[in-house]
Amino acid sequence: EVEFDLPVIDDNCDFSAGASNPIIFNNTGSVQTWMVPPGVTSILVDVLGAEGGGGTDGNGRTTSGGLGGRVQAELSVTPGDVLNLYVGGAGFWDATPGYNGGGSGYNTGGTDFIGGGGGGASDIRIGGIALGDRVIVAGGGGGGATNGTPSIGGAGGDITGADGGFGTFFICGGQTPATGGTQVAGGFGGTSPCHGWPGSNGAFGIGGDSHQNYTSGGGGGGWYGGGGAANGHAGAGGSSYAAPLAANVIHIQGFNPGDGQIIITPNGASPLVQIGGLPS
C-alpha cells in the first residue's frame, strides 16, 4: 500500500485545492465515454466493482452476495484520449447476472431456491473496447446462496478474488467451493461429486455460471472472473487488475455494495491528491 503525505479527498466532497472536481460515472448497462480535456496529463481514478446478488431457499433464509472490489490509481493520459468506461451492475436475487461479466445464478423458476447472479466488474479501457484494452479493473462479487445456512458470495477484488461460501445441507465427500479469479486464469467452478453437477469456471472478464441445481450463486466478473458454484453454494469473486502504466495503485477486496462506480479526477499539473472515500 502506498502512503501519500498530501491532501486527501474525503467522504464529504471536501476536495483539496489544486485538484479538479471528480466526475462520477454510475451504472447504465452500457459503455460510457470520457475524453481527456486540454491541459490534463494525469488523472486519478477510483474504480468500484459491483456486488453479487443475494440468494434464498424459500424457507425464510436469505443471504448476501460478495461485495465488489476497489482499485485506486493514477494514470498518465494525453489530451484527446478517449476512455471507454464499463460500470458494473449488481447481480440480482433472481439469478440474473450483473452487467459487465457477472455469471448466472440458478433460478428454479419461482421464488424459492434461488442463487444470486454474480456482480459485474467495473473497468476502464483505452485504445478500444475489447477486454484486452482494459487498464484498470475492479472485480465483482460472487452471488450468494442459502443451503441450510447462508453461503455468502466471495468478495470481488484484489489480485485474487475470494472463494464462494459453503452451506451445510448438501455437503458430501470431496465437494469443493467455487474459487476466485486470479491474474492469469478464471476461478474454478465448484464441484459436487455426490451429484456430478459442477459450476462452470470463470474466464477472462467473465464469471462462471452456477450449475442448474438448487440455490447456487454465479461468479463475479473481473480481470478474470470467479467460478460459479455447485449444488447450493455461493459463487466466487472476480479479480482486479492494474496495467503497468498505472501508478500508486491500491487494491481493496470486498469494499463496495450495490452497483459499481467509476470516479475520475482530472489532475493535470496539480500535485497528486490521494483518493479517500466515495464522493457524496
Side-chain angles (χ1 to χ4, degrees):
E1 180 173 322
V2 178
E3 295 185 357
F4 303 92
D5 185 20
L6 293 162
V8 173
I9 297 174
D10 67 19
D11 292 345
N12 299 311
C13 299
D14 180 16
F15 304 113
S16 303
S20 301
N21 286 347
I23 305 162
I24 301 173
F25 296 87
N26 295 308
N27 170 254
T28 63
S30 61
V31 62
Q32 302 171 69
T33 60
W34 181 74
M35 180 178 289
V36 179
V40 173
T41 58
S42 69
I43 58 174
L44 303 175
V45 298
D46 196 353
V47 183
L48 301 148
E51 181 181 15
T56 180
D57 68 358
N59 294 311
R61 291 183 293 250
T62 59
T63 191
S64 59
L67 298 178
R70 183 183 193 183
V71 182
Q72 299 171 299
E74 180 184 13
L75 295 176
S76 295
V77 291
T78 300
D81 282 349
V82 175
L83 278 59
N84 296 298
L85 310 174
Y86 290 76
V87 182
F92 295 86
W93 74 271
D94 67 357
T96 303
Y99 170 72
N100 202 29
S104 296
Y106 177 61
N107 188 340
T108 58
T111 58
D112 297 343
F113 303 111
I114 301 171
S122 294
D123 67 70
I124 298 173
R125 309 181 194 192
I126 299 178
I129 58 172
L131 290 174
D133 294 319
R134 296 177 295 171
V135 296
I136 299 288
V137 182
T146 300
N147 175 6
T149 59
S151 301
I152 298 174
D158 212 340
I159 302 303
T160 300
D163 295 349
F166 252 30
T168 60
F169 186 60
F170 282 134
I171 294 291
C172 59
Q175 187 162 315
T176 61
T179 64
T182 72
Q183 294 299 287
V184 297
F188 291 112
T191 64
S192 179
C194 56
H195 295 97
W197 295 324
S200 63
N201 295 340
F204 190 54
I206 301 172
D209 296 331
S210 71
H211 186 272
Q212 307 256 321
N213 178 59
Y214 202 53
T215 171
S216 305
W223 176 241
Y224 279 90
N231 208 27
H233 305 297
S239 59
S240 292
Y241 171 78
L245 62 85
N248 301 314
V249 177
I250 298 173
H251 288 285
I252 303 174
Q253 187 181 78
F255 177 84
N256 185 54
D259 288 340
Q261 194 172 68
I262 295 176
I263 304 163
I264 296 174
T265 304
N267 206 36
S270 302
L272 178 63
V273 178
Q274 182 185 358
I275 301 173
L278 294 178
S280 55

